[in-house]
Amino acid sequence: MNKPIPNSLRNGPDGRGRFGEFGGRFVAETLMPLILEVEQAYLAARRDPAFQPELDRYLADYVGRPSPLWFAERLTRHLGGAKIYFKREELNHTGAHKINSCLGQILLARRMGKTRIIAETGAGQHGVAAATVCALFGLPCTVYMGATDVERQNPNVFRMKLLGAEVKPVTSGAATLKDAMNEALRDWVANVADTYYLIGTVAGPHPYPMMVRDFQSVIGEEARAQLHEVEGRLPDVAVACIGGGSNAMGLFHPFLDDQAVRLIGVEAAGRGLDTHEHAASLSRGRPGVLHGNRTYLLQDEDGQIQEAHSISAGLDYPGIGPEHSWLHEIGRVEYVAATDEEALAAFQLCTRTEGIIPALEPAHALAHVTKIAPGMPRDSILLMNLCGRGDKDIFTVAEHLGVKL
Amino acid sequence: MSRIAARFAELKQAGRGALIPFVEAWDPDQATSMALLRGMPEAGADLIEIGVPFTDPMADGPTIQAAGKRALKAGATLARTLAMVGEFRREDSATPVILMGYLNPILSYGERRFCRDAAEIGVDGLIIVDLPSEEAGLLAGDAEQNGLDIIRLVAPTTDDARLPKVLNGSSGFVYYVSITGITGTRSASSEALAAAIPRVRRVTDLPIAIGFGVRSPEQAADAVRTADAAVVASALIETLAASLDEAGRARPDTVARVLEQVSSLAEGVRRARR
């Protein structure tokens, strides 16, 4: 957790949940008392000396942490530049980084005496992780998922159902992640007394962006220690993909005060940044308010939210966590984008050179790695968060490659 | 005195509560919603709430979501909603008009410019669903400067300790969200309202309107027996939606059917003994 170091970039948010001008708590009054209760409960949990050790035990024995740091030697040779390390979050139980925050939050929900869990999901990775911890703790779980995503992420839908969760397809809007989040918020408003909303990313009203970041920071903390062990130093560059931004925030946050470490977030450029079919909120959006926080959003001139597009369901979101918006404005993190095509190429490259099938989400991060690694010195170090595995994506990839399964 | 305060003072004199019907701007098209707006005062509306369409109405149920979708498809924007108010004000300078919506279109328009334009064109109050008291500072100065009332929402979850904080800086009237839930889903019992409203009264002298779940003339009457006004939205939009043709266009009797319902709600409100 944050130590109060003056001039640190890790002190945010302020008491009102702001990172600079971003963040906040823009929710209906019905939810406001509950949001404040979640904040109080989380702060109390952080102070409780028993909370973190219990979470650590679950992370070690249930998730399998620490996740390995893998030197991607063949990929490094192939690209001919920087030494590439993967932080292998895809080896976590349930196959992605999402479980880190789900465990933290379910322990919190239990402390709060909540007896029902709701969640939203895009790619289904967060939904699966939420359904998993609910099975583990014996709590009923309802997952809201855009109907479009239900279709393209069918394996994960079945997984959630096997785990005992109820999956509710959402048909409003473009029927993707944004709409799933609207519907989860509506459920929460109607069930405030017994329900905990387990948000999957570093967005939503305060304290969620802070809390999910804290739970995901284990990624960067571990990577930092692991790199120190094998290389004796910090990475030169750290790269992660960004939808809402939880895996990137988890990787970046422990490095924010190390000015020598270049941090790069990769948004989904979909069919291209100059088309209207992308999910690059920072590159092409502007600040506004959605889902409880002020942040960069894809929106039209009237402030109506635009649909995002990405081949990857997990990046298909027109907003981004507020702390990323702040890091963008102050210039600490660079935000770039990779297209569907570039991600598909990186997906195949990773599979063939490293024998690792990545999710389409981190394939976007890898696409950027393939652009910059060749131009970096051979003794430089590039750290990438391989935040999820690609089993769920093989149908989507097959379709794009024209293969019938 | 503001139009809202004047209207509530008149009604107090007359010894009755207010009916506040809701119309979604541009649902299903500009002309229909304009005709509804124009016809509402004669049908018995004491104040009028105009919904500003937004792509992501997180506190609204399926009925108002669908209304917003139809409106956006027809070309609704915040500026065009303001233009409707301007047109309305050419004929009616007495009926208070309140805009209800979400924050982002206002931010996009520009807070300062919006408050100025809205007041100038004849808007009296704002209900911004996703602007709780914690964030209200964002708009408070500009609204006050332009004489716009910021109408706060109070919910069953707002406890006694929190009430004064929520109502601090509110004006016009207080909007009591009668259920924990989204619009158009369920209704509060008269007993629940009878318990809740005095709790709010202890903290404010402002009139109190009850919204969310007020559907029938009887429920509207119930609402004004304990509070000062009843807001009816989803029930009216359901009537509008049911009158549309297969392509979602208004039929010749769409406006009449909705206004007829406003009339019967108004009768309910006027019959209610206080």
Side-chain angles (χ1 to χ4, degrees):
Chain A
M1 311 288 165
N2 296 351
K3 293 181 200 88
I5 306 164
N7 301 322
S8 167
L9 296 177
R10 304 186 64 196
N11 290 342
D14 66 15
R16 297 168 62 220
R18 300 295 177 112
F19 304 91
E21 60 168 306
F22 301 102
R25 289 178 282 222
F26 296 90
V27 298
E29 171 60 22
T30 315
L31 280 184
M32 197 64 208
L34 197 60
I35 297 283
L36 295 171
E37 188 194 337
V38 171
E39 184 190 0
Q40 287 313 313
Y42 176 58
L43 295 177
R46 271 212 316 207
R47 285 190 302 265
D48 180 351
F51 184 77
Q52 191 63 40
E54 185 178 18
L55 176 56
D56 288 344
R57 183 177 73 80
Y58 280 104
L59 290 176
D61 301 342
Y62 189 69
V63 176
R65 302 207 70 93
S67 68
L69 183 76
W70 172 245
F71 173 40
E73 203 172 347
R74 290 197 68 225
L75 182 67
T76 297
R77 271 210 303 278
H78 176 83
L79 294 175
K83 293 175 81 171
I84 299 162
Y85 282 90
F86 289 161
K87 179 61 175 163
R88 298 200 58 190
E89 291 296 299
E90 104 282 8
L91 289 177
N92 291 342
H93 179 44
T94 72
H97 69 291
K98 294 293 187 184
I99 191 88
N100 302 329
S101 161
C102 284
L103 275 169
Q105 288 191 64
I106 199 118
L107 290 176
L108 183 68
R110 195 183 61 182
R111 280 174 74 98
M112 294 175 72
K114 301 296 180 186
T115 55
R116 174 177 176 261
I117 303 294
I118 56 171
E120 85 296 335
T121 196
Q125 290 304 98
H126 175 60
V128 166
T132 298
V133 297
C134 286
L136 180 65
F137 284 77
L139 292 174
C141 179
T142 301
V143 180
Y144 289 92
M145 186 169 187
T148 306
D149 293 337
V150 167
E151 209 151 291
R152 59 178 163 172
Q153 299 290 347
N154 229 316
N156 270 345
V157 174
F158 186 57
R159 253 174 224 130
M160 286 184 264
K161 288 180 177 169
L162 282 173
L163 289 159
E166 179 190 12
V167 179
K168 287 199 173 168
V170 176
T171 53
S172 59
T176 58
L177 181 53
K178 156 181 96 85
D179 311 290
M181 199 148 179
N182 286 331
E183 215 50 43
L185 284 164
R186 290 181 185 122
D187 179 312
W188 206 20
V189 167
N191 298 288
V192 284
D194 64 346
T195 299
Y196 179 86
Y197 181 13
L198 209 166
I199 295 183
T201 191
V202 285
H206 178 66
Y208 283 96
M210 165 181 83
M211 179 166 69
V212 174
R213 172 201 74 199
D214 289 348
F215 289 139
Q216 292 295 1
S217 290
V218 65
I219 302 171
E221 302 283 0
E222 281 177 10
R224 194 188 169 93
Q226 289 165 324
L227 257 185
H228 190 78
E229 192 146 308
V230 291
E231 294 278 358
R233 68 179 184 95
L234 294 168
D236 296 286
V237 179
V239 182
C241 63
I242 298 202
S246 68
N247 94 81
M249 193 54 72
L251 182 70
F252 295 165
H253 203 259
F255 294 108
L256 285 183
D257 289 333
D258 303 298
Q259 292 293 340
V261 181
R262 210 176 136 197
L263 303 172
I264 304 176
V266 186
E267 297 190 295
R271 301 205 168 91
L273 285 183
D274 296 321
T275 70
H276 285 290
E277 295 176 84
H278 58 74
S281 338
L282 284 177
S283 303
R284 287 292 185 273
R286 59 192 172 85
V289 166
L290 179 71
H291 294 153
N293 67 99
R294 187 179 181 121
T295 193
Y296 273 74
L297 300 171
L298 298 177
Q299 53 182 317
D300 70 12
E301 63 284 354
D302 187 43
Q304 305 295 340
I305 308 304
Q306 290 172 321
E307 303 298 347
H309 165 84
S310 170
I311 188 174
S312 138
L315 305 184
D316 202 345
Y317 182 65
I320 185 167
E323 193 166 8
H324 283 295
S325 289
W326 175 66
L327 291 168
H328 167 68
E329 293 238 318
I330 65 169
R332 175 63 187 98
V333 179
E334 297 162 53
Y335 293 89
V336 298
T339 63
D340 289 352
E341 288 306 319
E342 290 168 337
L344 274 169
F347 175 98
Q348 294 170 80
L349 177 67
C350 184
T351 306
R352 294 199 183 158
T353 54
E354 293 296 330
I356 297 171
I357 302 179
L360 281 170
E361 288 80 12
H364 285 74
L366 187 61
H368 192 71
V369 168
T370 65
K371 292 177 200 169
I372 61 170
M376 293 171 64
R378 280 165 193 258
D379 60 351
S380 58
I381 299 170
L382 200 161
L383 169 66
M384 189 197 98
N385 196 6
L386 189 55
C387 63
R389 66 175 181 228
D391 310 44
K392 69 182 175 63
D393 290 318
I394 57 170
F395 300 97
T396 306
V397 172
E399 198 190 309
H400 281 267
L401 299 179
V403 178
K404 266 215 152 23
L405 293 185
Chain B
M1 195 188 284
S2 76
R3 271 190 210 103
I4 294 177
R7 178 52 52 98
F8 275 107
E10 266 168 54
L11 292 172
K12 196 170 186 180
Q13 282 267 304
R16 70 171 178 89
L19 173 68
I20 312 181
F22 174 98
V23 55
E24 179 89 354
W26 286 63
D27 174 26
D29 57 71
Q30 197 273 350
T32 305
S33 63
M34 195 62 227
L36 284 172
L37 179 58
R38 276 212 184 93
M40 277 180 170
E42 208 188 306
D46 298 301
L47 298 83
I48 301 173
E49 213 178 281
I50 302 180
V52 183
F54 181 51
T55 38
D56 295 80
M58 69 172 181
D60 286 305
T63 303
I64 296 184
Q65 285 176 45
K69 218 168 167 175
R70 287 191 296 267
L72 289 171
K73 206 173 142 205
T77 61
L78 181 55
R80 286 173 166 175
T81 306
L82 290 180
M84 279 182 67
V85 179
E87 213 175 316
F88 176 75
R89 279 282 172 250
R90 273 189 246 135
E91 296 162 13
D92 186 318
S93 56
T95 310
V97 168
I98 296 116
L99 297 190
M100 179 160 191
Y102 294 80
L103 185 58
N104 202 52
I106 294 176
L107 295 181
S108 190
Y109 194 102
E111 300 94 293
R112 179 151 299 167
R113 189 165 79 92
F114 170 74
C115 289
R116 197 192 57 213
D117 289 359
E120 222 172 78
I121 216 154
V123 172
D124 303 291
L126 305 173
I127 302 175
I128 303 162
V129 178
D130 52 353
L131 191 71
S133 49
E134 276 77 359
E135 304 287 356
L138 195 66
L139 217 59
D142 290 321
E144 200 186 308
Q145 226 169 37
N146 290 284
L148 284 174
D149 285 328
I150 296 277
I151 291 141
R152 291 281 169 76
L153 300 164
V154 169
T157 49
T158 314
D159 65 18
D160 289 342
R162 183 171 164 77
L163 262 175
K165 189 179 151 91
V166 170
L167 293 178
N168 180 25
S170 72
S171 57
F173 60 92
V174 176
Y175 190 121
Y176 184 71
V177 176
S178 67
I179 52 155
T180 52
I182 52 178
T183 55
T185 47
R186 53 186 184 221
S187 304
S189 65
S190 345
E191 295 76 44
L193 292 179
I197 300 304
R199 197 165 71 83
V200 184
R201 284 251 196 259
R202 279 198 288 276
V203 189
T204 182
D205 296 327
L206 292 172
I208 302 170
I210 295 178
F212 284 48
V214 184
R215 308 181 52 85
S216 65
E218 294 71 34
Q219 286 170 330
D222 251 5
V224 297
R225 263 183 218 111
T226 31
D228 306 295
V231 181
V232 183
S234 294
L236 292 172
I237 292 174
E238 278 167 29
T239 302
L240 178 141
S243 80
L244 303 177
D245 69 16
E246 299 74 31
R249 287 176 304 228
R251 285 207 170 94
D253 66 343
T254 295
V255 172
R257 281 168 66 174
V258 176
L259 291 181
E260 204 173 295
Q261 193 180 359
V262 172
S263 298
S264 68
L265 288 161
E267 273 170 43
V269 164
R270 281 155 213 247
R271 268 200 312 268
R273 273 173 299 135
R274 308 192 70 187

